Amino acid sequence: LRRRQRQMCIRDRPEYSVLMSVYDRELPENLNESLESMLMQSYPPSDFVLVCDGKLTCELNIIVKSFQDEFKHIFHIVQIDENVGVGKAYNEGIKACKCDYIVKMDSDDISLPNRCLKQMTLFAVKPKLDIIGTYVEEFDTDTDEVVSVKKVPVMHKDIASYSKRRNPFNRQSVAFRKSFAEKIGGYSDLKMCEDYEFIARMLQHGAKGQNIPEVLVRYRIDENTVDTRKSWEHTKAFIRVRWIIHRSGYTGFRDFFMPCALQLGLFIFPRKFTRWVSVSYTHLRAHETSAHLV
């Protein structure tokens, strides 16, 4: 009986919208590959919303127009005249999405062909879930070599615990319910680290989540990634979002202080040292995640 019920749920996979935001600094070849990876899914989307956050370059517009022409029955563009940042752009995109299940996609990442099939199947089998993510593979954009696999806790109890200090979902892999996102007011106006604040607020308001313990998204990194992560702009945003989450009552002071102290260390110390800390942090994160999986 349970097997039959499961098979019925799988046949009733929900339709979904893809939500992507792009701005003028994106590389055309990256956008092309990202769009193609989502539109050629083994379980394809019923709706695709591309938010153009400000005016795009001619090269980017050519790519957007080509996909719009080829997939005109599902491909919809939301044009914002001036760059407003990802949080506001996502909110405009959420309004335009036709389906209650939204798969978020970054404009320079690559989804594996079965990503959406597996996420929608899990939504069908477990209809009480509101957020589903996956593992993510970081790869060198120049050599295509795998650098690391970003693992996260799988089950909701561990996700809730992990979320007190860091995002329990790889932001590149998230799928969520539109109705729940709208209930909490969507994304904040933050221009950086907005995904963590959004997820924390979803969980704080009772959202149920799960991660698929499998790499289903590939995330580009390059030689500038470490510098970006240790920059003062990123450090300020990192601390600010954790302070917002702490002030909301979701985390204790220690949960706020510990990751912020580490981030300040990454900012203050030389790049050679921060590379070592970054590697150590990756191993620590993997160890903590493994502990949640046991």
Side-chain angles (χ1 to χ4, degrees):
L1 178 60
R2 287 183 179 178
R3 181 180 296 177
R4 187 177 304 166
Q5 289 174 334
R6 183 181 177 90
Q7 289 173 342
M8 289 177 63
C9 286
I10 290 174
R11 286 199 297 270
D12 294 333
R13 291 186 191 96
E15 295 184 341
Y16 67 95
S17 298
V18 174
L19 173 60
M20 181 187 292
S21 174
V22 63
Y23 74 134
D24 62 359
R25 294 187 185 179
E26 187 58 83
L27 295 176
E29 58 269 27
N30 290 354
L31 176 62
N32 185 78
E33 194 168 8
S34 181
L35 287 168
E36 189 173 74
S37 75
M38 290 305 293
L39 287 162
M40 302 303 292
Q41 286 285 303
S42 60
Y43 181 55
S46 300
D47 178 42
F48 196 111
V49 174
L50 177 67
V51 183
C52 298
D53 188 9
K55 294 180 180 179
L56 303 182
T57 64
C58 291
E59 293 83 359
L60 290 172
N61 276 321
I62 290 171
I63 290 172
V64 171
K65 185 65 166 59
S66 68
F67 279 95
Q68 186 181 32
D69 290 343
E70 185 175 356
F71 298 93
K72 54 188 174 184
H73 59 296
I74 65 168
F75 200 91
H76 309 288
I77 297 173
V78 175
Q79 180 65 57
I80 301 175
D81 293 334
E82 296 183 4
N83 182 269
V84 295
V86 287
K88 289 183 178 181
Y90 283 149
N91 284 338
E92 292 302 314
I94 288 171
K95 292 177 190 176
C97 287
K98 296 180 178 180
C99 302
D100 190 41
Y101 291 93
I102 296 176
V103 177
K104 197 166 76 67
M105 182 64 181
D106 284 357
S107 59
D108 60 346
D109 296 328
I110 303 167
S111 285
L112 299 190
N114 286 335
R115 173 194 172 183
C116 296
L117 172 70
K118 294 189 176 185
Q119 287 185 300
M120 292 306 118
T121 297
L122 187 53
F123 272 128
V125 172
K126 295 187 175 182
K128 292 185 178 181
L129 289 176
D130 302 294
I131 317 169
I132 294 176
T134 77
Y135 288 176
V136 166
E137 178 182 272
E138 292 185 331
F139 71 99
D140 189 303
T141 192
D142 295 321
T143 66
D144 201 46
E145 293 181 0
V146 176
V147 177
S148 68
V149 172
K150 295 179 67 177
K151 296 182 178 181
V152 280
V154 174
M155 304 309 293
H156 178 74
K157 180 180 178 181
D158 297 323
I159 286 169
S161 175
Y162 195 88
S163 69
K164 301 295 182 177
R165 296 191 180 185
R166 55 187 69 89
N167 196 339
F169 295 93
N170 288 311
R171 63 177 177 79
Q172 303 87 355
S173 73
V174 167
F176 59 87
R177 284 183 185 269
K178 173 179 177 176
S179 53
F180 204 107
E182 290 181 327
K183 184 174 74 172
I184 67 162
Y187 280 82
S188 70
D189 292 344
L190 295 169
K191 290 191 175 183
M192 296 180 70
C193 303
E194 73 290 334
D195 289 282
Y196 179 31
E197 192 276 338
F198 173 72
I199 290 296
R201 197 154 27 90
M202 290 272 282
L203 295 172
Q204 188 176 16
H205 284 81
K208 302 299 181 185
Q210 187 168 327
N211 279 301
I212 298 173
E214 182 179 347
V215 171
L216 293 174
V217 178
R218 304 190 75 213
Y219 169 55
R220 297 177 190 276
I221 63 172
D222 56 33
E223 59 181 10
N224 297 319
T225 300
V226 172
D227 289 336
T228 300
R229 289 174 178 173
K230 76 182 293 293
S231 69
W232 178 235
E233 185 180 11
H234 176 75
T235 299
K236 285 191 298 182
F238 184 98
I239 294 172
R240 182 187 178 195
V241 74
R242 279 158 179 77
W243 181 246
I244 290 171
I245 293 169
H246 172 63
R247 286 292 300 273
S248 75
Y250 187 64
T251 62
F253 182 76
R254 189 172 181 179
D255 295 321
F256 160 74
F257 177 78
M258 293 300 289
C260 290
L262 179 59
Q263 178 61 35
L264 281 169
L266 290 174
F267 169 70
I268 292 169
F269 289 101
R271 189 177 188 208
K272 184 176 180 181
F273 178 81
T274 58
R275 281 185 178 277
W276 175 82
V277 172
S278 181
V279 172
S280 299
Y281 176 77
T282 300
H283 287 305
L284 175 63
R285 175 172 173 162
H287 175 74
E288 289 179 348
T289 304
S290 298
H292 282 296
L293 296 175
V294 173

